[in-house]
Amino acid sequence: MISSVRYWGLTVKGHRSENQDAIRVSGRSSASEGQLYHGEISDMSRGTVIALADGVGGGPNGRQAAEIALESICSTQWNNSDGKFPISTAISNANRAVCRLASSRGRPATTLAAIFADSLAITGINVGDSRIYDVTDVVPKIVTRDHRSTVNRRAITRFLGGSPAQAVPHSVKLWRGRNYLICSDGLFEFLPTSTLRLDPTVEPEIAISRLISRALAAGSDDNISGVYCTVA
């Protein structure tokens, strides 16, 4: 049985003029720029969502797309009948919500990576190139699958804000007793995978802050966001 989930998140605009990343946990408002976002969910009977979205660069209203997607995902209710979270329905609803932002300026879009947890199961998903890593062991391991073009590695092939087929997530079972990192490409693109581990010698809030600082020092030219999660 899963008894609790703890999380420590941070999102910064870095060297960009606007932060188009967003972090949100069900039952809470989104994380504020540069402020530690942390908490613990100990009542797992109603489930929880910990999610990160990254507005697609170059498109209009990237920040709004990320926020709308997370608002939709995090407001979805667990099914009363079987206790399971309707992930496919939630993502379809979020995709439609982002699509409604389309205007004469273009079609905004966002990636998504999220952990869904209740007392019985933990599931990780991603759409696009935001990632989830298992950072429990000495060598961190990516557990999600990037949706990127094989021709242009900077181009993503799945996202929220397009057709239903473009919003189909990759899904993976996660495990109790493990530590996870949800992050945007502004973080993992600029750091060796070995440095993403949740350092057991320091408090998680310090570890996530140091990780963001390292990405900035390594030359990240994007928004940078990460959330450490521990599942007990």
Side-chain angles (χ1 to χ4, degrees), residues 68 72 89-101 160-162 164 167:
I68 287 291
S72 180
T89 299
I91 291 175
S92 294
N93 291 342
N95 186 53
R96 286 193 292 270
V98 176
C99 285
R100 286 195 289 271
L101 297 175
L160 302 183

Side-chain angles (χ1 to χ4, degrees), residues 127-129 146-152 154-159 163 165-168:
V127 181
D129 61 357
D146 289 348
H147 299 127
R148 286 183 172 179
S149 168
T150 56
V151 177
N152 176 8
R154 296 294 296 174
I156 58 174
T157 56
R158 295 189 191 178
F159 48 86
S163 70
Q166 289 170 317
V168 175

